[in-house]
């Protein structure tokens, strides 16, 4: 049922039924992009620059919807999310959710009925995540412009991970955090040492893994027997990055996830000493989005990355 109007068909495709997807009710907008009648829809809140809603089809199927009004939000953010989900979903046993429909102003997803996390579900997630990573990628980066939250993410393909990470994942957000006043020039010099030292801190070279890219606890939805991953910043990256981000903000049964992961795809020697290095990117993003509240954590993590612990 997946369909996209984000590449050429745009609003014309949505208007084939005679309705502008930005006109009428929210249910009308969802119906237009999905191509199915939506019985009802209700707004549930906001996140960053978009509105979050619940919807229900005529047969009772429940949906989760992100949307923006005309002229609001980054125009490519929903396409980047949908393409990332589809790319991750091509892996056998992938744990990611499947997008149902999207255009540049709306993204329709299945609604996940959440349950409490269990050790067995955590172990299954670890094995599925390992399988997804092992599917690999053609390069570091991706074939589409990326976003992490509302921030642009440079996915220009690269063959070398240390330079990719330093120049496309660390330096742009360090510069933005400094310009916004979330870091002082003295703070920035500490983090700049990490950026300049990625190659020597990176460990043994690894091929590009197919990673989620924004794998914090809030993007893991637990079900009765497994977990579903949502809202990726997907790209070819270093597989340790996803596990490091799960550790950054905490995940129930993380040890079970990691142990099961290691059974399928053992982590390289010294991975514990590189956790802080991989956490620098999400922390810089948080500085850009939420300001100096993350300053102390970012500086402590930078120092830990330089120590290799």
């Amino acid at each position: 049922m997946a369909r996209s109007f984000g590449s050429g068909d745009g609003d014309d495709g949505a208007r084939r039924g005679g309705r502008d997807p930005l006109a009428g009710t929210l249910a009308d907008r969802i119906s237009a992009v999905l191509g199915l009648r939506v019985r009802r829809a209700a707004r549930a809140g906001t996140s960053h620059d978009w509105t979050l809603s619940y919807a229900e089809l005529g047969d009772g199927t429940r949906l989760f919807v992100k949307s923006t009004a005309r002229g609001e939000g980054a125009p490519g953010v929903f396409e980047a999310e949908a393409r990332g989900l589809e790319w991750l979903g091509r892996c056998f046993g992938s744990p990611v959710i499947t997008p149902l429909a999207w255009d540049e102003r709306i993204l329709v997803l299945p609604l996940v009925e959440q349950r409490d996390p269990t050790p067995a579900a955590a172990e299954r997630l670890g094995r599925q995540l390992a399988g997804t990573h092992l599917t690999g990628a053609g390069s570091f980066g991706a074939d589409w412009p990326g976003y992490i939250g509302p921030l642009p993410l440079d996915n220009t393909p690269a063959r070398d991970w240390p330079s990719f990470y330093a120049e496309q994942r660390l330096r742009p957000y360090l510069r933005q955090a400094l310009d916004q006043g979330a870091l002082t020039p003295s703070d920035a010099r500490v983090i700049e040492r990490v950026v300049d030292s990625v190659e020597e801190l990176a460990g043994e070279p690894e091929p590009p893994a197919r990673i989620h890219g924004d794998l914090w606890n809030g993007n893991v939805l637990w079900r009765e027997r497994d977990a579903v991953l949502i809202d990726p910043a997907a790209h070819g990256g270093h597989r340790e990055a996803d596990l490091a981000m799960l550790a950054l903000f905490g995940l129930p049964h993380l040890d079970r996830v990691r142990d099961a992961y290691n059974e399928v795809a053992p982590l390289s020697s010294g991975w514990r000493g590189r956790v802080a290095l991989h956490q620098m990117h999400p922390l810089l993003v948080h500085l850009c989005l939420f300001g100096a509240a993350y300053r102390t954590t970012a500086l402590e993590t930078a120092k830990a990355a330089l120590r290799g612990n």
Side-chain angles (χ1 to χ4, degrees), residues 129-145:
L129 186 62
T132 301
H133 288 171
L134 289 175
T135 301
S139 63
F140 297 103
D143 293 334
W144 58 88

Side-chain angles (χ1 to χ4, degrees), residues 288-299:
C288 295
L289 290 175
F290 305 114
Y294 286 90
R295 171 184 173 271
T296 299
T297 303
L299 289 174

Side-chain angles (χ1 to χ4, degrees), residues 179-209:
D179 291 345
Q180 292 176 185
L183 294 172
T184 68
S186 176
D187 298 334
R189 285 193 290 272
V190 174
I191 297 174
E192 187 78 34
R193 289 175 57 202
V194 178
V195 181
D196 292 340
S197 303
V198 171
E199 186 168 5
E200 62 189 77
L201 297 172
E204 293 297 316
E206 291 205 3

Side-chain angles (χ1 to χ4, degrees), residues 230-251:
I230 62 170
D231 200 13
H235 63 278
H238 200 300
R239 64 197 182 105
E240 293 174 6
D242 277 347
L243 293 166
M245 194 165 184
L246 286 175
L248 179 59
F249 298 112
L251 181 80

